[in-house]
Amino acid sequence: YPPSPEARWSERMVKAVRIMNSVVMFLYRASGGRVAARMQKAPIMLLTTMGSKSGKPRTNPVLFIVDGADLATVASAGGAEKNPSWFVNLMHTPEATVTIKRETRKVRGRKASPEERARLWPRLAAVYTTYNDYAKKTKREIPVVILSPA
């Protein structure tokens, strides 16, 4: 059977996001984080995880906030019903790196506890209001991820 219109739309969105992410990462790296460094009020970092199946490094631009010595981000996948691949990779292999502007550092990722999520979600949504729209769009609870210095 041919794919449904919803499935075709989803496939096109995934392709569009991949292209957009590639452009963002190229501009970010080429400019040392001066270009493509924000979305709404949220800063962007490049998160590199290890592919859970391939074992190869996978880099994605993600929004973040600083929380003491930690960084916090949201595994929103635009409100999709599945978590983003970077989140799956990070839960499989918590060791990762982040690049913020020209600085790269090692981190260890974990899913925020319910208490941490309750505390961090309002701060994350304050810098990127679209997170609240994503949360309404999906049945899953969108994870907040904490990246601690490794």
Side-chain angles (χ1 to χ4, degrees):
Y1 296 97
S4 68
E6 293 83 13
R8 284 194 302 271
W9 169 254
S10 178
E11 290 168 14
R12 286 193 299 260
M13 285 304 296
V14 167
K15 287 178 184 174
V17 167
R18 283 189 180 141
I19 291 167
M20 184 181 74
N21 283 352
S22 294
V23 170
V24 166
M25 288 188 299
F26 173 79
L27 293 171
Y28 192 97
R29 286 179 173 137
S31 71
R34 288 189 313 278
V35 176
R38 290 201 169 273
M39 187 170 288
Q40 290 184 23
K41 296 181 212 167
I44 294 175
M45 67 180 167
L46 302 183
L47 172 64
T48 301
T49 59
M50 197 58 65
S52 59
K53 293 179 186 170
S54 70
K56 295 179 181 176
R58 303 290 184 205
T59 302
N60 291 277
V62 295
L63 309 180
F64 73 98
I65 60 169
V66 175
D67 185 51
D70 298 331
L71 305 170
T73 189
V74 176
S76 66
E81 288 305 316
K82 291 170 64 174
N83 287 319
S85 57
W86 66 259
F87 176 78
V88 174
N89 293 343
L90 196 61
M91 295 301 101
H92 186 264
T93 305
E95 293 76 23
T97 62
V98 295
T99 301
I100 300 172
K101 299 197 176 189
R102 293 191 186 274
E103 179 190 344
T104 299
R105 54 181 124 153
K106 293 180 181 183
V107 294
R108 183 169 179 84
R110 65 178 175 81
K111 184 176 173 185
S113 70
E115 297 79 17
E116 289 169 320
R117 186 184 187 285
R119 177 177 63 80
L120 292 167
W121 183 269
R123 289 184 53 208
L124 288 154
V127 297
Y128 189 67
T129 57
T130 309
Y131 284 145
N132 289 322
D133 298 331
Y134 294 163
K136 291 174 191 165
K137 183 176 154 182
T138 185
K139 294 175 189 153
R140 70 183 170 97
E141 181 179 78
I142 296 174
V144 169
V145 175
I146 296 176
L147 301 165
S148 300

